[in-house]
Amino acid sequence: MPDLHSLPEGTWPDKAIRNNGPDSLVIERLKLRELAEGWPCYRDACEWENFASIFHEGAYVYTTWSGRVAYKDFMQGSKAGMDKGAFIMHRCHGVTTDITPDGTRAVTKMKATITQRFVLDGDCEVDAEADCRFCFFFEKIDGRWGARFVRHWYEKDKLIPTNPNKVPKIDEQKLASYPDGYKYLSYCQELTMGVTVSKDMPGHRRHAGTASGDKHDLLYRQAKDWLDGRPVEV
């Protein structure tokens, strides 16, 4: 078990201002929170023009079902999935932002739950719920904030029957082939959506020694490099 009471070595930003920063950056933090919370609020409501306003041109996002894609392609994939019956919602739980003193770069982390509705075994309706943290790499250009990259840490998930009288049969061997942080979500997505789920999405600190654990640490290092002003390709 890794040390769960500390961040991986070499991942703490050297110059960024964390919580309780100067009053001069309060408005910037509010803008960044509004942008971050726009992902679930706009996407879930199909407010696509507002959703697009979160990003700078050329931005990329990652999800379990899409992998790394340009944000415009993600929007088109989301619409196509909805047309085929995909029903994905989100709940926001809290936001923190690390921001550079000059207010031009920031990393915003948003606690959220991804919840997707599935029908298994013909008539068994379930919700797969994944607790995660969004990680937005924001940059301010010509007075406008926008995301360059958006990733997630997938920390833990579960499967909930919507009708307690109907419980699906799960292939335990297949379930065990997915990462611990999003195994139920992955299982259901591959079973019903015709997609191949990425099996190395960033996980929780406790997943050290796995592909998801390695990506957990890597995402922290990339966030540090971003805030330290280095070029980053996420």
Side-chain angles (χ1 to χ4, degrees), residues 129-197:
E129 296 200 342
D131 292 325
C132 70
R133 286 185 295 154
F134 283 70
C135 186
F136 294 83
F137 290 69
F138 283 122
E139 187 172 21
K140 191 175 187 180
I141 298 176
D142 296 331
R144 176 184 173 271
W145 284 105
R148 290 292 190 191
F149 307 100
V150 183
R151 292 217 68 170
H152 305 68
W153 287 279
Y154 293 88
E155 299 179 318
K156 68 179 179 68
D157 72 337
K158 58 183 177 291
L159 194 63
I160 307 168
T162 61
N163 181 344
N165 290 319
K166 293 182 178 181
V167 179
K169 295 179 180 179
I170 301 296
D171 182 334
E172 295 285 352
Q173 184 175 359
K174 184 174 179 62
L175 180 68
S177 70
Y178 299 109
D180 280 343
Y182 54 105
K183 60 185 177 182
Y184 298 103
L185 183 64
S186 298
Y187 180 96
C188 293
Q189 286 179 334
E190 287 202 346
L191 187 64
T192 66
M193 295 175 64
V195 299
T196 299
V197 169

Side-chain angles (χ1 to χ4, degrees), residues 54-127:
I54 297 169
F55 305 94
H56 283 308
E57 286 298 316
Y60 287 90
V61 304
Y62 285 77
T63 71
T64 54
W65 59 268
S66 69
R68 183 182 191 266
V69 294
Y71 81 94
K72 290 182 179 178
D73 293 336
F74 172 76
M75 290 168 60
Q76 292 304 315
S78 296
K79 294 175 185 179
M82 291 177 182
D83 290 341
K84 295 176 182 178
F87 188 17
I88 303 172
M89 305 291 284
H90 302 78
R91 295 191 295 270
C92 299
H93 306 302
V95 175
T96 62
T97 291
D98 295 341
I99 188 170
T100 56
D102 63 358
T104 59
R105 281 194 175 191
V107 170
T108 295
K109 305 182 186 84
M110 180 175 69
K111 288 279 288 182
T113 299
I114 302 168
T115 174
Q116 184 167 355
R117 179 68 52 87
F118 299 96
V119 177
L120 307 182
D121 298 341
D123 65 348
C124 185
E125 195 174 63
V126 298
D127 281 344

